Amino acid sequence: MRPPGARGATLKDVADRVGVHPGTVSRALNPATQGMVNPDTVRKVQRAAKELAYRPNPMARGLKTSRSMTVGIIVPDITNPLFPPIVKGAEAVLTEAGYTCLIGNTDNDIDRERDVLEAFIGRQVDGLIVASAQLEDEVLRHAADGDRPLVLVNRRVEGARIPLVVGDDAGGMEMAVRHLAELGHTRIAHLAGPQFLSTGRARARAFRQSMHEFGLTVDPNLVLECATYSVEAGAAAAAALFEATDAESAPTAIACGNDQIAIGTCDVLRERGLRCPQDVSVVGYNDMPYVDKLAPPLTTIRVPHALLGAEAARIMLRLLTGEDTATSVISLPVELVVRGSTAPPR
Amino acid sequence: MRPPGARGATLKDVADRVGVHPGTVSRALNPATQGMVNPDTVRKVQRAAKELAYRPNPMARGLKTSRSMTVGIIVPDITNPLFPPIVKGAEAVLTEAGYTCLIGNTDNDIDRERDVLEAFIGRQVDGLIVASAQLEDEVLRHAADGDRPLVLVNRRVEGARIPLVVGDDAGGMEMAVRHLAELGHTRIAHLAGPQFLSTGRARARAFRQSMHEFGLTVDPNLVLECATYSVEAGAAAAAALFEATDAESAPTAIACGNDQIAIGTCDVLRERGLRCPQDVSVVGYNDMPYVDKLAPPLTTIRVPHALLGAEAARIMLRLLTGEDTATSVISLPVELVVRGSTAPPR
DNA sequence: ATGAAAGCGCTAACAG
DNA sequence: CTGTTAGCGCTTTCAT
């Protein structure tokens, strides 16, 4: 009789049943070494393994091989609709390859990021996929020096050579500005995301650049940074924007750093008796779920988040198998989705 | 010089540095056994451990103790806004207690549920928190017989004694119906969630019961089941509802099985030229993020999802430490949030 | 082609 | 209070 804590059959159990040595069973069951054992034995071993519902103990294996077959995925906040698709995309390809994923939240706090990172490293994860990077991220810069593969997704770190998968922020913002310019807007505002995040910075830069490109001038009073990527911060910035402008100088269109900021902006518009899109057009960024159900449905830039996650995972896999030595940087195309929140100026 | 795969200092490294036996170091570092070692030695060991940045190898420890200090969390779809708060709530509690979480998606597919479950059990998780349960869930009924703690969250399984944390579905639906009844509605429809899920079933049952309670009759033509908890299925059911009724028998209010169904319903209303809430009131369920931004803002039942996750994790912890032997069933109170999608009938 | 044996890093039972 | 020892389940080198 097994002790109560018994977790299942071991290699030895299988060996006993077939009447061979545990080492042989190990070889027979491992596809890589299966060639060095008698096909007959292999079959018998496989049958016995199935009968006993043998499952290799990953801890024993990991202890021996010093690989855990786990990958840590670190996100700022799984509750932000942006990140679940990234996680899901990454998890799908990693699971397929036999890896299990650990998920950690940092709440955008760099101290918690370090804690999660250390916990995962303590857990012996084989690699790390990080979506919570800040532009100045010593924690990650340091982690990148370790011997453990690190892949960034969605956000980048300044001055570190780390493999990376992002959406094309510059291209996306250019589409947004072009769309507004083509509608005939000239006084276009930008409510930027936090400038300590690469997405916030890249989109803000792209905004200015695109404005020039389309022959429009950037009014400094019409470019504000939001403290966070939230509805509240977006509303606060939008309110400040209208406080600082009069009827003459007020924008007729606003390109927002992300969808939450756009939602906050629409709230403020409503409060102030301005109609969207008739009085002010608004463009979001990300195409979060259900922003097509808002009133008006939000025009936004669609980022293929699940793909981002999947690509990051593929890079991770290549890093893990040593196939890939170069530091890949992948920028995935984004897409303008025109809905009801944008229209020509009056 | 360390081999390239070196993951850090071992117990032996620390022991060598202090000049004691590895066993002593183990005792000195483990709070539970720390009492049996000379305080002086403890201090020296701790210092050495810190200097060498010693981190216990969880695989070695797990191999020995046959506990992995991991808990698997299984959700239908992390991409559904309902589940991230549950995961986050559970993770916070579990992480605090030194556990690490594995997250798995089932896509509401019972075969994938089994796969994930097996993968997690293969991973030697110490316990499982499952949010993807179906009413007839052989996989889980079977898993519950194992020696590994299992806690259900949000959804239950029929006829299995498994610890459980759910929102008060009966109470929530009663609030919804009462709200509509008090507004003066009498022809109230219910677009139910899938009846193979406990939430769908419980809310449908509560709908009928509450209707009787408030002296209203349930028109069988006004109760339809949605194939899934999605916008599309909700829209399909809503369309069917209006196809099957005429101006006389059409509902003036609809209690929906969840928010997605409510969103689909509102879409159909709009298509048919019916205004919400003037012509038809709509109540959702769950209070997903941003449903307060819809037009009209959705009246709904708020379920404390993060709390659900946290409670489930607390039960898990008690099960894991053996403190708790009873099969707890916790039903958490929900709350009616009245917004713009409900009004008196005309 | 297979058996034997060592050892991954840790804990725990037993000695001293 | 501390050292010794055995062994968790597996992989892998070395014999045979």
Side-chain angles (χ1 to χ4, degrees), chain B:
Chain B
M1 190 157 128
R2 290 201 163 280
R7 293 307 217 212
T10 77
L11 217 43
K12 181 162 185 311
D13 295 331
V14 180
D16 288 350
R17 183 170 245 255
V18 183
V20 296
H21 193 271
T24 307
V25 176
S26 173
R27 285 183 284 249
L29 257 23
N30 183 329
T33 51
Q34 199 164 289
M36 30 174 93
V37 39
N38 188 319
D40 244 38
T41 329
V42 171
R43 234 169 299 121
K44 277 192 277 187
V45 166
Q46 285 173 335
R47 195 157 49 78
K50 177 164 291 177
E51 285 167 6
L52 295 174
Y54 168 73
R55 303 218 151 270
N57 181 327
M59 295 194 226
R61 182 184 300 206
L63 184 54
K64 184 67 193 176
T65 60
S66 76
R67 308 201 314 139
S68 63
M69 294 300 284
T70 60
V71 169
I73 302 182
I74 304 182
V75 296
D77 180 6
I78 191 70
T79 266
N80 181 335
L82 198 61
F83 296 105
I86 296 181
V87 169
K88 201 181 178 191
E91 201 193 26
V93 171
L94 258 9
T95 301
E96 176 69 21
Y99 285 83
T100 298
C101 301
L102 312 183
I103 317 286
N105 288 275
T106 67
D107 291 319
N108 273 312
D109 176 343
I110 206 135
D111 291 328
R112 283 193 39 78
E113 182 173 270
R114 193 195 24 256
D115 291 347
V116 174
L117 208 78
E118 286 198 354
F120 281 1
I121 290 176
R123 282 268 165 203
Q124 315 281 107
V125 296
D126 294 334
L128 288 159
I129 295 179
V130 177
S132 62
Q134 306 202 1
L135 229 20
E136 300 291 331
D137 202 320
E138 278 316 317
V139 179
L140 289 182
R141 270 200 275 263
H142 180 254
D145 294 336
D147 53 2
R148 205 176 318 257
L150 173 63
V151 177
L152 262 29
V153 63
N154 193 48
R155 297 178 185 173
R156 55 178 92 205
V157 170
E158 196 106 290
R161 304 190 96 270
I162 309 178
L164 176 72
V165 182
V166 290
D168 179 6
D169 284 313
M173 186 49 79
E174 188 192 329
M175 287 178 195
V177 174
R178 165 181 290 128
H179 171 59
L180 294 172
E182 286 179 352
L183 285 172
H185 291 277
T186 54
R187 288 205 311 285
I188 305 177
H190 179 45
L191 296 182
Q195 295 297 294
F196 58 89
L197 299 178
S198 67
T199 51
R201 190 92 68 103
R203 290 170 200 167
R205 182 179 332 218
F207 172 78
R208 291 175 216 273
Q209 196 158 325
S210 306
M211 288 290 280
H212 291 140
E213 191 180 327
F214 298 116
L216 300 173
T217 57
V218 177
D219 179 345
N221 291 320
L222 297 189
V223 178
L224 268 62
E225 175 182 354
C226 302
T228 66
Y229 268 137
S230 65
V231 174
E232 295 71 30
L241 179 66
F242 284 102
E243 289 304 327
T245 53
D246 56 23
E248 282 305 295
S249 59
T252 62
I254 307 179
C256 297
N258 80 346
D259 289 341
Q260 277 102 329
I261 292 175
I263 292 173
T265 299
C266 289
D267 286 351
V268 168
L269 255 27
R270 208 170 303 117
E271 282 166 19
R272 303 182 75 94
L274 293 166
R275 289 162 309 158
C276 173
Q278 294 88 337
D279 299 318
V280 181
S281 288
V282 172
V283 181
Y285 206 108
N286 278 337
D287 195 26
M288 295 192 331
Y290 308 115
V291 292
D292 57 325
K293 306 299 183 188
L294 300 176
L298 189 63
T299 294
T300 188
I301 303 294
R302 178 175 298 160
V303 178
H305 290 111
L307 244 184
L308 255 61
E311 274 310 318
R314 285 194 198 99
I315 293 180
M316 175 56 66
L317 250 21
R318 270 183 268 127
L319 254 19
L320 251 14
T321 56
E323 283 173 53
D324 202 333
T325 168
T327 303
S328 355
V329 172
I330 296 185
S331 169
L332 259 28
V334 298
E335 188 185 347
L336 171 69
V337 183
V338 177
R339 299 203 182 96
S341 66
T342 48
R346 288 192 305 159

Side-chain angles (χ1 to χ4, degrees), chain A residues 126-295:
Chain A
D126 294 335
L128 287 158
I129 296 180
V130 178
S132 63
Q134 306 202 2
L135 230 19
E136 300 291 332
D137 201 322
E138 278 316 318
V139 179
L140 288 181
R141 269 199 276 262
H142 180 254
D145 294 335
D147 52 2
R148 204 175 318 257
L150 173 63
V151 177
L152 262 30
V153 63
N154 192 47
R155 299 178 183 171
R156 55 178 93 205
V157 170
E158 195 106 289
R161 304 191 95 272
I162 310 178
L164 175 72
V165 183
V166 289
D168 179 5
D169 285 313
M173 186 50 78
E174 188 191 329
M175 287 177 195
V177 174
R178 167 183 287 127
H179 171 59
L180 294 172
E182 285 178 353
L183 285 172
H185 292 277
T186 54
R187 288 204 311 286
I188 304 177
H190 179 44
L191 296 183
Q195 295 300 293
F196 58 90
L197 299 179
S198 67
T199 50
R201 190 94 68 105
R203 291 169 200 167
R205 182 180 330 219
F207 172 78
R208 292 174 215 274
Q209 197 158 325
S210 305
M211 288 290 279
H212 291 141
E213 191 181 324
F214 298 115
L216 301 173
T217 57
V218 177
D219 179 345
N221 291 320
L222 297 190
V223 178
L224 268 61
E225 175 182 354
C226 302
T228 66
Y229 268 136
S230 64
V231 174
E232 295 71 30
L241 179 66
F242 284 101
E243 289 305 326
T245 52
D246 56 22
E248 282 305 294
S249 60
T252 62
I254 307 179
C256 296
N258 80 345
D259 289 340
Q260 278 101 328
I261 292 175
I263 291 172
T265 298
C266 289
D267 286 350
V268 168
L269 255 28
R270 209 169 303 118
E271 282 166 21
R272 305 183 74 96
L274 293 165
R275 289 163 309 159
C276 173
Q278 294 87 338
D279 300 317
V280 181
S281 287
V282 173
V283 182
Y285 206 108
N286 278 337
D287 195 26
M288 295 193 327
Y290 308 114
V291 293
D292 58 326
K293 305 300 182 187
L294 300 177

